């Protein structure tokens, strides 16, 4: 058995965070998934839509050079990513997340050089650390960072809905008894 390479590890880290986001929606109604029960203005549905949009733009668009995945106006697209339309059900949003996961896997596996410099438009670069060289590796690590930030955010929102936390939801997703610390 071989040790996982860097690509395997990056993809696994991304998938772990996607799993946490998916788990945050387990057993919720559409109304609950759209609720904003905490101090945040975001719902679980909006978080899933946002991270899906961001991953598609960063990985498929910038790294994979797939123009259809890039925003035409990054600021407008970013803001629209937080608004969940009537037809964007939990199922639709999770299907999109799964589609983006497949795109990411394909792009990362096809990438020959994780040190390749990627062009990032000024409208996007302005929000990132000044002077950063945007390599494929940097963008992938940034995507892991973004996913983790929002998976934690999703955990807080879910706990505000029904008190279920990440560990309990992970156990439920796997069909095992949750730890009994509550």
């Amino acid at each position: 058995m071989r040790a996982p390479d860097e690509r395997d590890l990056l993809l696994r880290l991304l998938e772990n965070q996607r799993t946490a986001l998916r788990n945050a929606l387990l057993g919720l109604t559409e109304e609950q998934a759209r609720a904003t029960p905490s101090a945040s203005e975001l719902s679980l549905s909006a978080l899933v839509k946002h991270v899906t949009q961001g991953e598609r733009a960063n990985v498929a668009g910038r790294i994979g050079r797939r123009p259809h995945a890039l925003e035409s106006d990054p600021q407008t697209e970013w803001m629209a990513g937080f608004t969940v339309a009537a037809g964007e059900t939990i199922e639709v949003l999770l299907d999109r997340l799964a589609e983006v996961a497949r795109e990411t896997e394909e792009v990362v596996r096809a990438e020959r050089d994780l040190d390749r410099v990627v062009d990032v438009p000024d409208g996007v670069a302005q929000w990132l650390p000044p002077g950063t060289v945007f390599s494929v590796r940097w963008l992938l690590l940034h995507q892991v960072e973004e996913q983790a930030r929002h998976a934690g955010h999703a955990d807080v929102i879910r706990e505000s809905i029904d008190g279920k936390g990440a560990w309990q939801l992970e156990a439920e997703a796997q069909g095992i008894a949750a730890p009994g610390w509550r």
Side-chain angles (χ1 to χ4, degrees):
M1 180 177 210
R2 73 171 180 83
D5 67 8
E6 185 175 10
R7 282 175 178 73
D8 293 331
L9 293 172
L10 290 167
L11 290 168
R12 186 178 301 160
L13 289 170
L14 276 171
E15 184 53 33
N16 289 346
Q17 300 312 315
R18 285 190 216 100
T19 297
L21 280 167
R22 281 191 303 273
N23 288 350
L25 289 161
L26 278 176
L28 294 183
T29 65
E30 292 295 332
E31 184 179 337
Q32 288 172 313
R34 291 169 181 263
T36 55
S38 66
S40 174
E41 294 180 13
L42 296 176
S43 67
L44 292 170
S45 291
L47 281 174
V48 172
K49 182 176 179 178
H50 170 68
V51 299
T52 301
Q53 173 195 35
E55 185 172 340
R56 177 167 278 139
N58 275 326
V59 181
R62 292 186 181 88
I63 295 171
R65 301 176 182 142
R66 297 176 181 179
H68 66 277
L70 290 172
E71 314 95 333
S72 55
D73 174 0
Q75 184 68 22
T76 301
E77 293 288 327
W78 183 77
M79 292 302 292
F82 293 111
T83 304
V84 182
E88 293 179 314
T89 63
I90 295 169
E91 182 180 4
V92 166
L93 293 169
L94 291 179
D95 284 349
R96 285 183 195 158
L97 184 64
E99 179 185 320
V100 165
R102 286 187 297 274
E103 287 177 8
T104 294
E105 173 98 15
E106 181 182 301
V107 166
V108 171
R109 296 276 178 220
E111 178 60 49
R112 285 199 238 160
D113 183 7
L114 295 180
D115 291 320
R116 178 175 61 83
V117 174
V118 176
D119 181 43
V120 174
D122 292 340
V124 173
Q126 71 179 341
W127 302 107
L128 301 170
T132 301
V133 174
F134 301 107
S135 67
V136 171
R137 179 180 290 102
W138 192 94
L139 285 173
L140 287 171
L141 288 167
H142 179 67
Q143 195 59 49
V144 170
E145 174 186 43
E146 280 293 299
Q147 294 276 9
R149 175 180 293 114
H150 292 307
H153 191 174
D155 191 40
V156 170
I157 293 171
R158 177 60 190 254
E159 285 188 35
S160 297
I161 291 171
D162 64 4
K164 290 185 177 181
W167 296 112
Q168 182 178 2
L169 292 165
E170 178 67 22
E172 286 181 22
Q174 293 182 27
I176 58 176
W181 55 70
R182 280 198 176 213

